Amino acid sequence: MSLLSDRITNMSTSATLAMAAKARELRAEGKDIIGLSLGEPDFNTPDFIKNAAIEAVNENYNSYTPVDGYVELKEAVITKFKRDNSLTYTLPQIVVSTGAKQSLYNVAQVLLNKGDEVILPCPYWVSYSDIVKVAEGVPVEVKTSIENDFKMTASQLEAAITPKTKMLWFSSPCNPSGSLYSKEELEALASVLVKYPNIYVISDEIYEHINYTGKPHASMASINGMFDRTVTVNGVSKAFAMTGWRVGFIGAPDWIARACNKMQGQVTSGTNCIAQRAVITALKADSSVVGYMIDEFKIRRDMVLNLLEDIEGFKTNTPEGAFYVFPDVSFFFGKTLRGTNINNATDFSLYLLEEALVATVTGDAFGNPDCIRISYAASQEQIKEAVKRIKAVLV
C-alpha cells in the first residue's frame, strides 16, 4: 500500500519543469543543451523595478503582509485593470498571490466541487488540468485546430456544455500556442455563456502585453454581461521579466475574491513583502517601458517561423502573442530516426533533446498530442543554432 495520498500519486509532473530538469541533468554531464522549453524571458528585470525592491529593503519592509496584498499594491492593480483593460474593480475584489499559478489554484479550490466540469480549449497551459483534478473537478477538453489558430469557436463551446459544467478556463494570449482571442471572438463565446448563468470563466491574461497584433488586448470581463462571471488572472512574470519574484493577482466578483483570501490565509498567507513593493512600481509604469522586450520577441518569432519553414514536416501557424510556436509534428509519427521510433510528440521531443541537444516540450502535456512547444524566449543566436541542430537530426 502506498504511503502517499491518491491525490499526489495521480497528479502529473509538470512537463515543462520535467523537461527543464532533464536538460539540467544533461548539462551536468557536460552536454551543450539549448533550452527552448521554459516560459521564461531571457531579459533581466528592468532597473527601475529592481531599485524599488532595494529601496524597500532599506526601508525595512520585512514583516508579514496582509493575506490579499498590500493596499498600495491592490490600488496599483486596480489602476492597471482600469488603464489597460477598462475594468473597474474595488479593493475587496483584488487578491495578490505568490504567482498567477497560486491564483488559479485558489480559484479552483473555492469554486469546484467533486464532479464539476471545467471546459479547457486545447491546447491549454500544462497545469490547468491537474489543478482542476486536485479540486476534484473534471477537465473537459475541447480540441482545436492549427488551421483555426488553436482557438475554440462558439459552436464548440456550446457543444461541450453539460448540466455539470461549472467553468471555462482559457488563456489569451495562449500558452502554448500564442493564440490571441479578439474582442469579436470573445463576444461570440459570451453569446453562448449568457444562456448558462451558472458557468464562470477563468481568463488567464498573464501574456497580455506580449501582443504582436497592434490591437488592444481584449479581456473577457470587459464583454457585456461577463464582468460578474469572470475571474481575470494576471501578474508580472512575463511582460516585466519577473518570473522569480512570484507575484500574481486576480480581479474577481467580491464573493469569489473573499473566498480566495480565506483559502490563501490557510495555505501561504501574504506574498513576499519586497516583491510586492517592487510590483507596485512595475504596475504604475506604462507597459511601453517594456516595449523593447516585445519588439525583440516579435523578431525572434518571425525568425523561428522562417527557419522552421526549411524543415520538412513542421506545420506552423503564426502566433499573435506570447513567446511560443506550437508546430504540428505528426508528419514524423511512425518514422524511425537514427534508430529511434517516433510514435508521438513525446518521443519526438525526447529525440530532439537526446540527438539535437535541444529542449522543447511535448504537446501531450498541453492536451494536443500532435504538436511540440518551442519557446523563443532565448537569444537569436541560440534560436538559429537550435533550429540548425534540429534540421540536422531530421534528415
Side-chain angles (χ1 to χ4, degrees), residues 139-150:
V140 176
E141 298 185 353
V142 176
K143 304 298 181 183
T144 64
S145 68
I146 194 170
E147 290 78 15
N148 196 42
D149 290 326
F150 298 110

Side-chain angles (χ1 to χ4, degrees), residues 305-365:
L305 288 175
N306 288 335
L307 292 170
L308 290 176
E309 281 184 1
D310 290 334
I311 303 179
E312 183 185 9
F314 276 76
K315 183 179 181 181
T316 62
N317 65 323
T318 302
E320 294 183 322
F323 39 68
Y324 311 105
V325 293
F326 198 60
D328 184 315
V329 294
S330 58
F331 170 86
F332 298 98
F333 299 172
K335 291 181 168 43
T336 301
L337 302 173
R338 297 190 177 187
T340 299
N341 296 324
I342 307 298
N343 298 309
N344 48 49
T346 300
D347 289 346
F348 189 74
S349 187
L350 288 172
Y351 175 78
L352 295 184
L353 179 63
E354 294 166 358
E355 295 294 331
L357 304 182
V358 176
T360 61
V361 187
T362 173
D364 281 302

Side-chain angles (χ1 to χ4, degrees), residues 76-323:
V77 171
I78 289 170
T79 298
K80 172 262 178 294
F81 275 134
K82 184 66 174 178
R83 179 191 66 215
D84 299 340
N85 310 102
S86 300
L87 299 175
T88 302
Y89 290 106
T90 60
L91 286 172
Q93 295 178 295
I94 305 298
V95 179
V96 177
S97 301
T98 306
K101 185 180 285 189
Q102 185 183 20
S103 297
L104 293 163
Y105 181 85
N106 286 346
V107 175
Q109 288 294 316
V110 305
L111 283 185
L112 292 176
N113 288 311
K114 186 174 183 178
D116 285 342
E117 294 179 352
V118 179
I119 295 174
L120 302 178
C122 300
Y124 49 77
W125 181 51
V126 62
S127 293
Y128 287 174
S129 182
D130 277 284
I131 289 175
V132 169
K133 291 176 183 176
V134 168
E136 298 189 280
V138 178
V140 176
E141 298 185 353
V142 176
K143 304 298 181 183
T144 64
S145 68
I146 194 170
E147 290 78 15
N148 196 42
D149 290 326
F150 298 110
K151 288 187 277 192
M152 182 178 65
T153 64
S155 60
Q156 286 180 303
L157 172 60
E158 181 101 56
I161 292 173
T162 77
K164 294 183 178 181
T165 304
K166 184 66 174 289
M167 289 197 286
L168 162 65
W169 279 34
F170 70 98
S171 58
S172 179
C174 175
N175 175 4
S177 68
S179 303
L180 192 156
Y181 284 89
S182 67
K183 180 180 179 181
E184 293 74 21
E185 288 166 333
L186 293 180
E187 287 174 338
L189 296 178
S191 70
V192 174
L193 293 170
V194 294
K195 295 183 284 186
Y196 304 91
N198 294 321
I199 297 177
Y200 289 82
V201 177
I202 310 304
S203 180
D204 181 351
E205 303 179 14
I206 193 71
Y207 291 92
E208 168 189 10
H209 296 303
I210 308 176
N211 176 343
Y212 312 122
T213 67
K215 300 177 183 178
H217 173 79
S219 294
M220 178 60 93
S222 70
I223 304 301
N224 187 39
M226 294 307 301
F227 181 80
D228 292 329
R229 299 171 53 189
T230 300
V231 178
T232 305
V233 180
N234 213 318
V236 292
S237 62
K238 309 303 181 179
F240 291 94
M242 296 178 70
T243 52
W245 296 71
R246 307 311 302 139
V247 180
F249 49 83
I250 63 169
D254 56 1
W255 61 276
I256 296 178
R258 285 196 303 270
C260 288
N261 189 15
K262 179 180 179 181
M263 168 65 66
Q264 190 163 295
Q266 294 288 17
V267 182
T268 59
S269 294
T271 302
N272 176 280
C273 58
I274 304 304
Q276 285 198 55
R277 304 311 299 186
V279 173
I280 293 170
T281 296
L283 292 182
K284 285 183 176 179
D286 187 271
S287 61
S288 62
V289 299
V290 292
Y292 64 95
M293 298 187 202
I294 315 307
D295 292 342
E296 176 63 20
F297 284 139
K298 186 175 185 297
I299 291 171
R300 296 175 186 178
R301 180 202 66 174
D302 295 342
M303 172 184 292
V304 73
L305 288 175
N306 288 335
L307 292 170
L308 290 176
E309 281 184 1
D310 290 334
I311 303 179
E312 183 185 9
F314 276 76
K315 183 179 181 181
T316 62
N317 65 323
T318 302
E320 294 183 322
F323 39 68

